[in-house]
Amino acid sequence: MAFITKKDRSKERFSLLLLDLEEHYFEQHTAYNLTSRGPVANRRSSGSLKICSKSVIFEPDDAVQPILKIPLKDCKGIATLEETVHNPFTESKPACIIIETKQIYLIKEENVVAPYKYERGETKVTFQLEAPGKTEDVVQMLLQLHRASCLDKQGDQTAMVAAILQSRLARTCFDKNSFQHVTEIPHMECVAEMVSPLVTNAGHICITDCNLYFQPMNSYPDSVVQIGLHSVKRIYKRRHGLRPLGLEVFCTENDLCSDIYLKFYNTKERDELYYYIATFLENHIVECTAESYMLQWQRGHISNYQYLLHLNNLADRSVNDLSQYPVFPWVISDYSSTELDLLNPASFRDLSKPIGALNTERLERLLERYRDMPEPRFMYGSHYSSPGYVLFYLVRVAPEHMLCLQNGRFDNADRMFNSVGETWKNCLEGGTDFKELIPEFYGSDGSFLKNLLGLNLGRRQGGGRVEKVELPPWASDPDDFLEKMRLALESQYVSEHLHEWIDLVFGYKQRGCEAVAAHNVFHPVTYEGGVDCDSIEDPDHKIAMLTQILEFGQTPRQLFVTPHPQRITPRFHNLSATPSLSSSELSPVSPSMESFEDLTEESKKMAWSNMNKLALQSCHKIHKEAVTGIAVTLGGDSIFSTSQDSTLKMFSKENGLQRSVSFSNMALSSCLMLPDDKIVVCSSWDNNVYFYSIAYGRRQDTLMGHDDAVSHICWRDDKLYTASWDSTVKIWKCVADDISSKKRTQFDLLAEFEHEAGVNTLDLSPAGTLLATGTKEGTLTLWDIANPLPLNQLTCHSGKIHQVAFSPDSRHILSVGEDSCLAVTDVQTGMLIATVHAELEQRCLCWDGNTVLSGGMSGDLSVWDLLSSKVIHKIPAAHSGAVTCMWMNEQCSSIITGGVDKQIILWKPEY
């Protein structure tokens, strides 16, 4: 319906929808119909004569008279009629065009949209052009098109019409008088077709340094379509007719309908235009990815409705292509109650199953047929989205589209979209009905549920006329119905389960063994790549196959090949329930803690929103080699740092260097402060971990627990986590109070996690139940600390991982590595959901789940917005070499960085 709202030309009687499918409109001439017929016999009727590839159409100026459509295949003769005049003093009559035909369609009589009427029987129709000098050219054109329509094979007909079309396009070019500005510089010209639902219109494209122009060959509906390149917000490559020839341009962020959809004759020209327009869109290629939208949706930055629109767009679904119209799920299953309870799960459809699998009895019958079927097998004989299904829902606002699709007829009145409840029931019980919904059911315009055009759609078996759609008892009117449908789509239940439906339609359950297991197998021709039409040599077979696919419906392009992560819903503070994850991660936020947490969260949000305003507080050059770790006392009075120069330094902003300690002649790799502010723990390349007593100013204890360098350490709840290049991570009993006392500590080994390469970094989830590790070979592994077996493992970098960090809500892990990538991994599924490519390698980071502060090899500090994959602020050369470590306090209001340049720099966001 979006395409109707945006491109409404309701005042015009003629439209391309009066043509047959795949028919072209070549030219029009002002003319007169001289045929004697009906009450207007012997009166000539003025109007417009349209020359099309399969028909001749005459649109009278008098809107009461019907539009005449004469199919060329039904014509017996087309000729020029010239009356010979022997008297030299008598003015000769202009030449006429006479057409002998067996059938004429009468369309829009009395200017009413209704099923076409037919006049059958041999008839002669005579037209006279206002410009008689063009008569012979028009007749020759009609004779050529008539020969094409009379060829025996459909393939030959199509080829001949295509040759005529290309010949006409080749003889013309874009009229540069249409430029908005005389100073515009053309970049590229080519021929293409403008696409709208069920029809295409050929013409010339010209793109300049300012505008994109399309000039229709027939000057319909306008002499030129112009789009300013600087107003373009989104562009998408499209499959059209199963071939990569389409390009769709949007000048709005969220509108369902594009500003222009173009079909090119070859992919090279499409791609050249695409990349040229993309240069006017900042970071377009990075932004428009399924992963970036997934991240925004997961974190609640876009609604379920917006996310589904984005996925449809990325999966080649467009409102301009009814065979690939955006598909939305049925989410409500209750269409009989007087009140709709959106807090009751029983009110909702099971989103983990396709429509065809919701009814167990029907599914069993379908599976029985499937098991007995020869290859290629399929479970469902019809699709969940097709042109017929789209217009089934929209016939009341798009009647001409339905008439175009169904050869001038509406569907049987009893098969119309008469009732929402009946349609849902038929989708559950019908043997061949598995259709989903369209976006209009979750929009704000309910006109498709009303008969505002007063259409005569027929009478049902009970005698009643087909009028407005019958709504469920819980909806008082169309606006109320749509409002409750929107509330249902954005409800807690749907938010928690929508990823399951995405797995079926756009994800890993769309194809293969997962599709079989999910009872989600459709006819092979509906899938991308299921049929290679270019390899079919027989033109008739190719056209038949293409027509079958386009009319049957197409499965969206597959966007995800691993399970889609669940949305973060406000019900729980941390992870949603997962069998393999600890229940301590799943606890709701305690009411008694809410006000304190809200205050803390607000201060953190304030700090992160001002991270692009970092101000340098002080610099301290106290080491002889690269700084490797930073730890700070709770009050911030003392700062400790480790370095490859093998020393632990203690200093303060006010008093400068206060202590310097060396435990061995090997580099120290990291440090941390135990919570009582009495002990600093340092890891070393000499395979040991050292415990330094601040109070006594000496080494308090040593843990000798690895066979190679200890690369990183973490501490939580009297447990010390050590990562080593010996390919292990070990968990030790490490009670802070025991270490603070003078007695020697017993370090008990509680667990050991094996890796296939040296472990370079690790991080604990905020609740302390999950552990993430990163290796020298780029492998990220997620562990439950109560189980030595990995929960998830993936190679997300092509080289060493420098650092991994959980998001504050434990939903995601961010990692940076030698490959200059920032990778976001979903904790629940282990799926890599976003990869951002930096210009240079990033070595360390802090993040809040959306915004990242990272330090790079060049010494720059960068602030990233992960949702848009952009660097929103950069402090160039903060260090004169690589930034190697970073510390941030709990309130996110103080930052300390260390670098290869041996410097430690203190920063603060200004706000």
Side-chain angles (χ1 to χ4, degrees):
M1 194 169 66
F3 59 85
I4 301 161
T5 305
K6 192 154 188 171
K7 301 179 180 179
D8 181 21
R9 306 182 71 90
S10 56
K11 293 181 181 179
E12 295 185 3
R13 299 182 72 206
F14 172 79
S15 82
L16 297 178
L17 293 168
L18 300 186
L19 279 61
D20 292 349
L21 295 175
E22 303 296 320
E23 184 174 7
H24 294 281
Y25 168 31
F26 286 112
E27 60 191 42
Q28 71 88 27
H29 301 272
T30 301
Y32 303 94
N33 179 7
L34 306 183
T35 307
S36 299
R37 58 185 322 112
V40 291
N42 302 317
R43 260 182 51 192
R44 71 179 196 167
S45 172
S46 63
S48 174
L49 188 68
K50 324 282 185 181
I51 310 301
C52 307
S53 59
K54 298 180 182 179
S55 62
V56 178
I57 296 175
F58 180 74
E59 178 189 14
D61 293 335
D62 183 355
V64 174
Q65 296 182 45
I67 295 173
L68 306 182
K69 178 178 178 179
I70 305 171
L72 290 172
K73 65 180 181 181
D74 293 330
C75 293
K76 295 183 65 178
I78 300 172
T80 304
L81 177 65
E82 292 188 80
E83 187 171 331
T84 304
V85 178
H86 299 286
N87 188 338
F89 300 101
T90 304
E91 185 179 350
S92 62
K93 293 182 179 180
C96 297
I97 302 169
I98 185 165
I99 301 174
E100 298 179 58
T101 181
K102 296 182 292 183
Q103 181 171 246
I104 301 175
Y105 295 172
L106 307 180
I107 305 171
K108 288 188 178 179
E109 194 167 12
E110 302 288 339
N111 204 22
V112 173
V113 177
Y116 301 170
K117 295 179 181 178
Y118 303 88
E119 277 191 3
R120 292 186 173 90
E122 294 191 7
T123 307
K124 288 185 179 181
V125 186
T126 305
F127 298 106
Q128 185 183 88
L129 302 186
E130 188 177 63
K134 296 182 179 180
T135 302
E136 188 58 35
D137 290 339
V138 170
V139 169
Q140 291 304 315
M141 177 72 174
L142 288 175
L143 287 171
Q144 192 178 25
L145 292 170
H146 179 247
R147 284 196 297 274
S149 69
C150 293
L151 294 173
D152 292 335
K153 293 186 176 181
Q154 182 68 37
D156 293 340
Q157 294 179 24
T158 302
M160 185 171 176
V161 170
I164 295 170
L165 174 65
Q166 292 302 318
S167 174
R168 289 179 69 87
L169 289 171
R171 293 198 303 269
T172 56
C173 62
F174 182 85
D175 181 5
K176 293 182 175 61
N177 291 320
S178 301
F179 282 176
Q180 290 284 99
H181 309 285
V182 294
T183 57
E184 286 186 59
I185 302 171
H187 171 74
M188 172 188 174
E189 289 185 46
C190 63
V191 292
E193 296 176 17
M194 188 167 69
V195 179
S196 54
L198 300 180
V199 296
T200 63
N201 199 12
H204 293 272
I205 286 175
C206 182
I207 190 165
T208 71
D209 55 338
C210 301
N211 294 292
L212 168 66
Y213 296 96
F214 177 77
Q215 202 166 65
M217 172 181 64
N218 48 37
S219 297
Y220 179 87
D222 300 295
S223 59
V224 68
V225 178
Q226 176 255 326
I227 293 174
L229 295 179
H230 290 285
S231 67
V232 175
K233 294 292 189 295
R234 295 176 289 143
I235 53 174
Y236 296 94
K237 293 180 181 179
R238 296 286 188 225
R239 280 180 304 158
H240 189 275
L242 301 184
R243 301 180 66 197
L245 299 173
L247 180 70
E248 195 160 21
V249 180
F250 293 78
C251 293
T252 58
E253 288 292 353
N254 297 307
D255 201 338
L256 192 59
C257 191
S258 64
D259 289 80
I260 194 167
Y261 185 141
L262 296 168
K263 171 199 167 186
F264 294 76
Y265 293 111
N266 64 71
T267 305
K268 181 181 177 182
E269 290 180 343
R270 189 276 305 267
D271 289 347
E272 182 179 345
L273 199 74
Y274 172 87
Y275 288 115
Y276 182 73
I277 297 175
T279 62
F280 290 82
L281 279 71
E282 186 180 3
N283 285 334
H284 162 77
I285 306 301
V286 176
E287 290 174 2
C288 295
T289 63
E291 290 78 11
S292 64
Y293 286 130
M294 179 206 294
L295 193 61
Q296 293 181 57
W297 172 74
Q298 265 201 292
R299 309 195 72 80
H301 293 276
I302 57 176
S303 66
N304 293 340
Y305 176 83
Q306 290 171 316
Y307 185 44
L308 289 174
L309 278 187
H310 287 310
L311 292 185
N312 273 286
N313 258 325
L314 292 172
D316 277 335
R317 315 299 285 190
S318 167
V319 297
N320 283 307
D321 185 351
L322 296 189
S323 67
Q324 298 187 92
Y325 202 80
V327 56
F328 270 57
W330 289 91
V331 298
I332 296 174
S333 63
D334 178 6
Y335 295 96
S336 58
S337 300
T338 55
E339 296 291 333
L340 180 62
D341 183 2
L342 295 180
L343 298 178
N344 182 4
S347 299
F348 295 93
R349 165 254 183 112
D350 184 348
L351 288 165
S352 69
K353 298 177 181 178
I355 289 290
L358 293 176
N359 182 327
T360 308
E361 292 182 9
R362 178 179 65 177
L363 179 62
E364 278 304 315
R365 294 195 301 270
L366 293 169
L367 290 177
E368 185 177 347
R369 186 191 67 176
Y370 173 76
R371 286 188 284 266
D372 295 337
M373 189 182 294
E375 293 291 347
R377 298 189 295 174
F378 53 90
M379 296 177 186
Y380 309 113
S382 63
H383 205 254
Y384 49 77
S385 176
S386 70
Y389 288 161
V390 173
L391 295 177
F392 167 84
Y393 291 127
L394 298 182
V395 63
R396 290 168 176 80
V397 289
E400 291 186 76
H401 290 79
M402 177 65 86
L403 293 172
C404 177
L405 184 69
Q406 300 202 150
N407 298 314
R409 298 186 301 273
F410 289 133
D411 204 351
N412 181 281
D414 287 295
R415 291 197 298 267
M416 286 277 189
F417 179 34
N418 294 304
S419 161
V420 176
E422 282 182 15
T423 301
W424 169 247
K425 182 181 179 183
N426 200 54
C427 288
L428 288 181
E429 300 175 359
T432 59
D433 193 349
F434 312 107
K435 59 179 170 284
E436 292 278 10
L437 294 182
I438 55 177
E440 283 75 4
F441 279 83
Y442 302 100
S444 57
D445 184 356
S447 58
F448 74 101
L449 301 166
K450 311 170 188 177
N451 189 7
L452 297 178
L453 299 177
L455 301 169
N456 181 5
L457 299 172
R459 291 184 179 274
R460 304 187 67 181
Q461 286 185 352
R465 290 174 62 90
V466 175
E467 291 291 346
K468 63 183 180 181
V469 177
E470 181 185 341
L471 301 175
W474 44 257
S476 58
D477 56 40
D479 291 340
D480 183 48
F481 171 73
L482 293 185
E483 181 181 0
K484 286 173 179 170
M485 291 288 283
R486 289 193 298 272
L487 288 172
L489 183 63
E490 306 299 336
S491 67
Q492 181 84 18
Y493 178 89
V494 174
S495 293
E496 290 176 350
H497 294 277
L498 186 59
H499 65 287
E500 298 172 332
W501 186 82
I502 292 171
D503 283 336
L504 295 168
V505 176
F506 301 105
Y508 81 112
K509 292 184 179 179
Q510 186 196 90
R511 296 170 179 242
C513 59
E514 293 289 352
V516 175
H519 304 131
N520 193 41
V521 182
F522 293 87
H523 197 287
V525 300
T526 69
Y527 295 94
E528 182 180 18
V531 175
D532 181 6
C533 283
D534 290 334
S535 67
I536 301 175
E537 296 182 359
D538 183 352
D540 289 342
H541 183 205
K542 180 186 289 189
I543 291 171
M545 180 60 71
L546 186 59
T547 302
Q548 177 189 352
I549 293 168
L550 298 181
E551 292 181 357
F552 191 87
Q554 297 177 61
T555 299
R557 170 178 290 170
Q558 189 175 24
L559 300 178
F560 308 104
V561 294
T562 55
H564 192 290
Q566 190 177 23
R567 192 177 196 187
I568 303 170
T569 54
R571 180 180 297 175
F572 291 108
H573 185 55
N574 287 312
L575 282 169
S576 299
T578 306
S580 58
L581 303 181
S582 169
S583 61
S584 63
E585 292 274 5
L586 312 177
S587 304
V589 178
S590 168
S592 62
M593 293 293 291
E594 281 182 354
S595 59
F596 173 75
E597 289 189 356
D598 287 347
L599 186 62
T600 305
E601 287 303 312
E602 282 304 313
S603 66
K604 290 180 181 179
K605 286 180 182 178
M606 178 70 75
W608 275 104
S609 66
N610 289 278
M611 205 57 69
N612 59 345
K613 302 174 185 175
L614 278 184
L616 188 150
Q617 302 293 298
S618 61
C619 297
H620 306 267
K621 192 169 184 177
I622 56 177
H623 285 285
K624 296 179 181 179
E625 298 291 343
V627 181
T628 57
I630 299 167
V632 183
T633 55
L634 283 174
D637 301 326
S638 298
I639 301 169
F640 292 83
S641 60
T642 53
S643 167
Q644 289 183 5
D645 65 10
S646 78
T647 63
L648 169 69
K649 306 279 189 180
M650 172 182 170
F651 70 98
S652 68
K653 182 179 178 182
E654 293 77 17
N655 302 319
L657 181 64
Q658 295 172 312
R659 298 183 194 178
S660 180
V661 183
S662 183
F663 302 113
S664 73
N665 61 356
M666 298 285 283
L668 298 178
S669 56
S670 68
C671 62
L672 61 83
M673 181 76 61
L674 292 185
D676 55 7
D677 270 2
K678 297 178 181 178
I679 300 292
V680 180
V681 187
C682 305
S683 58
S684 173
W685 284 9
D686 67 2
N687 311 353
N688 297 330
V689 178
Y690 298 99
F691 298 82
Y692 175 78
S693 171
I694 300 173
Y696 295 104
R698 60 179 170 80
R699 184 177 66 189
Q700 185 76 9
D701 221 324
T702 303
L703 169 61
M704 294 178 284
H706 285 279
D707 299 324
D708 204 339
V710 181
S711 55
H712 205 169
I713 53 176
C714 289
W715 186 93
R716 178 74 57 82
D717 299 331
D718 291 332
K719 295 185 183 71
L720 181 69
Y721 301 79
T722 59
S724 171
W725 294 349
D726 66 6
S727 305
T728 67
V729 169
K730 296 181 180 181
I731 306 176
W732 309 86
K733 182 180 180 182
C734 178
V735 181
D737 291 340
D738 291 350
I739 298 172
S740 300
S741 64
K742 292 183 179 181
K743 63 181 182 181
R744 201 159 183 82
T745 307
Q746 181 69 37
F747 297 104
D748 295 328
L749 181 62
L750 303 178
E752 181 173 343
F753 300 144
E754 294 283 348
H755 296 70
E756 294 182 0
V759 184
N760 209 50
T761 179
L762 78 167
D763 190 41
L764 277 169
S765 65
T769 59
L770 300 175
L771 179 71
T773 59
T775 72
K776 288 185 173 183
E777 294 183 353
T779 301
L780 171 69
T781 308
L782 179 67
W783 309 81
D784 183 337
I785 63 169
N787 190 335
L789 297 177
L791 295 174
N792 285 303
Q793 190 173 64
L794 75 157
T795 301
C796 55
H797 293 276
S798 58
K800 181 195 298 181
I801 297 179
H802 292 306
Q803 187 177 347
V804 296
F806 278 92
S807 59
D809 58 11
S810 299
R811 294 281 180 163
H812 299 114
I813 299 167
L814 178 63
S815 55
V816 292
E818 279 184 334
D819 57 1
S820 303
C821 288
L822 290 80
V824 181
T825 302
D826 182 76
V827 169
Q828 193 174 25
T829 63
M831 177 183 175
L832 183 64
I833 60 173
T835 301
V836 180
H837 296 273
E839 292 181 3
L840 293 171
E841 186 178 332
Q842 303 297 297
R843 291 285 299 272
C844 55
L845 66 95
C846 292
W847 75 314
D848 71 341
N850 294 323
T851 307
V852 181
L853 176 65
S854 67
M857 285 294 288
S858 63
D860 297 349
L861 290 180
S862 301
V863 181
W864 300 77
D865 176 14
L866 280 186
L867 299 181
S868 63
S869 306
K870 294 179 182 177
V871 175
I872 56 177
H873 182 67
K874 181 179 284 189
I875 302 176
H879 287 262
S880 57
V883 185
T884 50
C885 58
M886 185 180 297
W887 174 90
M888 182 181 287
N889 68 345
E890 186 179 357
Q891 292 76 31
C892 310
S893 57
S894 293
I895 296 98
I896 304 175
T897 58
V900 169
D901 60 1
K902 311 162 194 176
Q903 288 205 97
I904 296 170
I905 304 178
L906 280 62
W907 309 85
K908 203 171 189 67
E910 288 190 335
Y911 51 94

